[in-house]
Amino acid sequence: MEYTYDLLVIGAGPGGYVAAIRAAQLGMKTAVIENRQVGGTCLNRGCIPTKSMLHTAELYHEAIHNFETLGLHAENVRYDAQRIQQRKEEVVAKLRGGVEQLFKSDGVTHLRGTGTILDSHTVHFAALEGEDADLTAQHILIATGSEPSSPPVEGMDLPNVINSDQLLDATSLYDHLIVAGAGTIGLEFAGLYNALGAQVTIMATRDRILPKVDKECAQNLAMILKKRGVKIVYKARLKKITQTPEGQLECWYLDGEEYKSVVGDGVLLAAGRRPYTEGLFGPGFSVDQDEKGAILVDEHFCTSVPGVYAIGDVIPGVQLAHVASAQGICAVEHMLAKEPSICLDVVPDCIYTSPEIASTGLTEEQAVAKGLHVQCGKASMLANGKSLIAQQDRGFIKLVYDVDNDCLVGAQLMCARATDMINELSTAIVNKLNKHQLAAVIRPHPTFGEAVTEAIEDLDGLSIHAAKKKKR
């Protein structure tokens, strides 16, 4: 059978566009269907815009709180919310243009419109402009991503009750933002508003923030946030939202048998994200999905229908841009009967709070639960020269070591540049490096990264700073 394309990708987010480009580089005739901007959530409504705004907020916070200590003087420091938005859009547009240029240079056909799968080799393309068409492909890759998930809460349709997409587009800031949810999305926005001087209250549904993160990291961040004036209400599952006579929003939650409330100007519903499959399947066609709507796949990202693959946020598992990209590459390689070039077992996770949190591999609790005999090495950033120079809050680097197999299996970092340093430790875990190999590297001074050496040495009790501490 002759097909229009070798591969047809539905969705041009970090999973879809990376997969399409790699497929084209490997000789596949490839097209991508996207009904919004290329780059998906990550580039347009997630990773990139939030980090642009966080960078601005951190500089503002630094100017307000630390300049005098550093010997700098600045008067009338203020922020311009509209200019912050403009700068964010400039960054996004530049990166979006880069993706579109890659499509052109690698020969990927970019189709602007919506794709609906009719059968295992046919997609109906509804064009935003021009003619619709039924396209055929040897392989179809679903990369439609996710959308903000909103819990069915009474009052969620009130003015100023918003999701993360809407908050990113706001041209003015709330004086008091209530963040309903204490996961990654909620904590990053809480940090953004706090750094810009707003009052912030976090409603955590459990007895801790960041429930999927190493417990010590979560506890340390909670202490830092409280020190900065952020209020955290634990075990506060949002039940309803009402409007006060003054026009503010009141969030109600149960504390045992008693209803309690928090009042603010805006409410961010940060309950995570859900797979986006609206309009994806035509009449009489479907693939297996779980109870949450996520598309089920095997280890090669094949769905229940041969020839149809799915990757990224639309399948079960972690919802991270870099994971979607890696999955896309591995899926394409499987289509071409190639061995996967990326190890998908070790996933670095980054949270852009202040300080940053990054983890990879197993936590100590996870390793013990797997029956591993582990040893942990830890370095406090309080003794790190670069941290002191940059006036960083308390942080640490923790390594989880498999004693019996003599290899690193996990790392958790909470410090400045953690999201950059995690790369080295992911490399070490993937390549099963032992203590001797890890310790053989000279890490430059003064850097945040030299604390990795201290953590490695601490595995054998050889840390210089630890030795000094013991002598006191």
Side-chain angles (χ1 to χ4, degrees):
M1 180 177 178
E2 201 169 304
Y3 298 107
T4 312
Y5 296 99
D6 297 319
L7 174 61
L8 195 54
V9 182
I10 303 177
Y17 82 71
V18 169
I21 292 168
R22 179 54 55 89
Q25 291 171 341
L26 294 175
M28 299 178 79
K29 184 181 179 183
T30 305
V32 176
I33 298 175
E34 174 58 61
N35 60 11
R36 300 177 74 174
Q37 308 100 324
V38 299
T41 294
C42 172
L43 178 48
N44 298 287
R45 300 171 296 280
C47 313
I48 298 301
T50 54
K51 279 49 177 186
S52 171
M53 295 175 74
L54 279 167
H55 177 66
T56 299
E58 287 165 7
L59 290 176
Y60 177 80
H61 182 271
E62 189 84 356
I64 295 295
H65 297 280
N66 293 334
F67 267 21
E68 292 296 326
T69 304
L70 297 170
L72 300 173
H73 304 284
E75 296 180 359
N76 196 26
V77 177
R78 62 194 189 281
Y79 64 81
D80 182 337
Q82 291 188 342
R83 179 58 189 140
I84 293 173
Q85 283 289 339
Q86 185 181 344
R87 168 60 180 161
K88 177 202 75 175
E89 291 301 326
E90 289 169 358
V91 172
V92 169
K94 187 170 186 178
L95 292 173
R96 190 190 298 139
V99 174
E100 291 172 343
Q101 183 56 46
L102 286 173
F103 282 167
K104 293 178 182 178
S105 60
D106 286 300
V108 175
T109 301
H110 178 199
L111 302 173
R112 293 173 173 83
T114 300
T116 301
I117 305 174
L118 303 180
D119 61 42
S120 59
H121 297 289
T122 309
V123 174
H124 176 71
F125 169 60
L128 291 176
E129 295 180 359
E131 296 184 3
D132 297 353
D134 285 346
L135 308 174
T136 59
Q138 185 176 2
H139 305 284
I140 297 170
L141 177 62
I142 300 168
T144 48
S146 61
E147 62 181 348
S149 176
S150 297
V153 174
E154 179 186 343
M156 60 182 292
D157 57 345
L158 287 170
N160 297 316
V161 179
I162 56 177
N163 60 33
S164 57
D165 289 359
Q166 295 163 328
L167 190 61
L168 276 173
D169 290 333
T171 54
S172 61
L173 299 182
Y174 299 109
D175 293 329
H176 182 182
L177 179 68
I178 300 172
V179 180
T184 301
I185 296 172
L187 267 295
E188 288 189 358
F189 277 109
L192 169 65
Y193 262 68
N194 175 251
L196 290 174
Q199 187 178 350
V200 178
T201 299
I202 299 171
M203 296 178 65
T205 58
R206 305 189 188 185
D207 59 356
R208 55 172 287 192
I209 62 173
L210 298 173
K212 296 181 180 179
V213 172
D214 174 77
K215 191 173 183 179
E216 189 175 0
C217 290
Q219 289 175 336
N220 196 33
L221 181 60
M223 292 172 58
I224 291 171
L225 288 173
K226 288 179 181 178
K227 183 180 176 182
R228 294 176 182 171
V230 174
K231 183 180 179 181
I232 304 175
V233 184
Y234 295 102
K235 295 183 179 180
R237 189 175 295 276
L238 183 62
K239 294 296 183 182
K240 65 178 179 179
I241 306 170
T242 59
Q243 200 164 33
T244 69
E246 296 76 24
Q248 289 187 298
L249 295 168
E250 192 163 11
C251 294
W252 296 88
Y253 63 95
L254 273 176
D255 183 3
E257 300 291 326
E258 181 184 359
Y259 264 107
K260 293 185 177 181
S261 67
V262 179
V263 178
D265 303 300
V267 177
L268 171 64
L269 298 177
R273 301 182 66 84
R274 62 187 177 197
Y276 182 75
T277 58
E278 183 180 347
L280 180 61
F281 305 121
F285 180 84
S286 65
V287 297
D288 290 347
Q289 296 171 261
D290 67 13
E291 66 280 358
K292 296 181 179 179
I295 296 174
L296 299 175
V297 295
D298 64 13
E299 69 273 18
H300 304 299
F301 305 101
C302 301
T303 69
S304 57
V305 176
V308 180
Y309 292 71
I311 58 166
D313 287 8
V314 80
I315 68 174
V318 294
Q319 296 179 327
L320 296 169
H322 47 281
V323 172
S325 298
Q327 291 172 344
I329 290 172
C330 290
V332 167
E333 290 169 341
H334 182 261
M335 295 172 196
L336 296 171
K338 294 179 176 290
E339 288 294 316
S341 59
I342 299 175
C343 173
L344 297 173
D345 297 330
V346 180
V347 176
D349 189 8
C350 301
I351 304 175
Y352 295 83
T353 49
S354 178
E356 294 180 345
I357 297 174
S359 62
T360 187
L362 302 174
T363 64
E364 182 180 3
E365 293 82 2
Q366 291 169 336
V368 170
K370 284 179 172 285
L372 300 181
H373 174 205
V374 297
Q375 181 182 8
C376 290
K378 188 175 178 182
S380 170
M381 300 303 286
L382 291 173
N384 178 265
K386 194 69 179 291
S387 291
L388 291 172
I389 292 168
Q391 293 186 295
Q392 293 296 307
D393 282 297
R394 51 185 290 170
F396 59 87
I397 292 175
K398 181 163 60 176
L399 305 180
V400 183
Y401 203 80
D402 182 346
V403 176
D404 295 334
N405 294 300
D406 191 22
C407 63
L408 188 70
V409 294
Q412 293 82 48
L413 286 65
M414 186 175 186
C415 57
R417 302 293 183 268
T419 60
D420 297 313
M421 290 190 288
I422 201 66
N423 295 324
E424 174 191 357
L425 297 168
S426 291
T427 300
I429 296 171
V430 168
N431 291 284
K432 302 184 186 303
L433 298 188
N434 58 37
K435 279 190 283 189
H436 173 74
Q437 292 165 323
L438 289 167
V441 177
I442 298 176
R443 296 173 179 86
H445 171 80
T447 61
F448 298 112
E450 66 182 309
V452 173
T453 299
E454 291 285 333
I456 295 165
E457 292 174 342
D458 190 53
L459 289 168
D460 289 327
L462 298 175
S463 170
I464 293 173
H465 291 100
K468 287 180 179 178
K469 188 175 180 181
K470 290 175 183 177
K471 289 179 180 179
R472 291 193 184 109

